[in-house]
Amino acid sequence: MLNAILNNTKGDRWIWLIVIVLSVISLMAVYSSTGTIAYKHGTGAESYLMKHLAMIVAGIALMYISHKLDYRYYAGISKLLMIVTIPLLLYTLLFGNHVNDASRWIALPGGLTFQTSDLAKLSLITYLARTLSRKQENIKDVKQSFVPIMGSVCVVFVLIAPAGLSTAIMLFGVSILLLIVGRISIKQISLVCLAGVVLLAGVMMFGGRRDTYVSRINAFMHPEKADPDKSFQSDHAKIAIATGGFVGKGPGNSTERNYLPHPYSDFIYATIIEEYGMIGGIALVGIYLFLLYRCIKIVTRAPKAFGALLAAGLSFSLTIQAFANMAVAVGLGPVTGVPLPLVSMGGTSILFTSVAFGIILSVSRDIEEPKKVVVGEIREVAV
């Protein structure tokens, strides 16, 4: 059975191993951190564990399907994805479910929700990779290359930022890195950054969540002056990390999970450190760094520009999101609402993250298969 699984899964074996390890860590951390919310709703933590397990299994199934498809297929549907994404983002902004003065989800039948920004990340990165790879001959041309690229980035930023500023900023940063890899001139990238600063200032000054942004930044910059109600999440995250020590309290022994508002998603890293100590926290950082290293190897070996840009953009998105989540948990950044990829409990986040992993594996599979052909040809010649 193991041989059958190995024969049917292609691509970078280390990335498959990373996915399995992160999934196991996720199941253990989510099971431990959902005890309080399960008690409040009169259910057992096992029910949340089973739902989370179902999402992970569904995510791995999507990853498998995504890695089986030739990555060039995603270039063909990138325009369609953008055409679908922009109206969905607009609909979410105007008519989506409002939680904490933010509209980020669309309600689906069966009590499910769909976070459109997860689709937007995948759509924009795929579209940018396609556009940059096809415009390489006239990449410095403002009208042919720069305008459509800048337009897509700014439109997505404007539609995500009012409800999810942290997500919009990270996606904007990933786009800038992709433009640098795609050989866009520094002058043009500077213009994109300037446009981003103007849009950011506009959202923060005139957006509906202005008070939230200001209070979170003030709580981060001046924690000693912060209102305890405003710094509640970060304070208890710091307590969790401080009490975790070097080796932690052990699996299931977290106490701060009873006080943190989202110990199973936004602050799951603090829960992991409390239970597994500094050793567990450093190990998780190492896993994401190793993921970035494997992805960089794929990017440098990819035979086609689109594959290299696609793998680069998706890997930047996954690792930047991971380190942003962990930075918030340890007090190195203001509170955001971004989950830890493949670890935090979630629905669409896990599914779209899994698709991103699948596409990266598809690019790596394209690198491996030509080698097999060459080896076969050498053997024939030798015979």
Side-chain angles (χ1 to χ4, degrees), residues 65-113:
I65 295 169
S66 302
H67 106 286
K68 278 292 189 181
L69 292 174
D70 191 314
Y71 73 88
R72 298 172 188 85
Y73 171 79
Y74 300 103
I77 65 169
S78 60
K79 268 192 171 182
L80 177 62
L81 284 175
M82 285 297 290
I83 291 171
V84 171
T85 297
I86 291 174
L88 278 176
L89 287 174
L90 184 60
Y91 178 86
T92 304
L93 190 62
L94 297 176
F95 307 109
N97 287 3
H98 284 262
V99 179
N100 296 328
D101 298 322
S103 179
R104 301 173 187 168
W105 296 272
I106 294 177
L108 298 176
L112 301 175
T113 56

Side-chain angles (χ1 to χ4, degrees), residues 19 23 26-27 30 47-63 108 111-115 118 342-355:
V19 168
S23 297
S26 177
L27 288 170
V30 167
S47 63
Y48 287 92
L49 176 65
M50 295 310 296
K51 288 178 183 178
H52 186 58
L53 176 61
M55 293 306 300
I56 288 179
V57 171
I60 291 176
L62 284 175
M63 193 184 309
L108 298 176
L112 301 175
T113 56
F114 169 50
Q115 191 164 350
D118 291 327
L342 276 191
V343 176
S344 293
M345 186 175 74
T348 53
S349 172
I350 291 177
L351 298 181
F352 283 106
T353 297
S354 299
V355 171

Side-chain angles (χ1 to χ4, degrees), residues 283-331:
L284 194 54
V285 170
I287 290 171
Y288 284 110
L289 284 174
F290 186 59
L291 170 65
L292 180 60
Y293 166 73
R294 296 305 305 177
C295 290
I296 289 172
K297 287 200 70 173
I298 293 169
V299 171
T300 55
R301 294 167 57 199
K304 300 291 184 181
F306 174 68
L309 290 166
L310 187 59
L314 293 173
S315 60
F316 289 152
S317 177
L318 290 170
T319 52
I320 288 174
Q321 180 178 326
F323 287 110
N325 175 283
M326 292 187 286
V328 169
V330 299

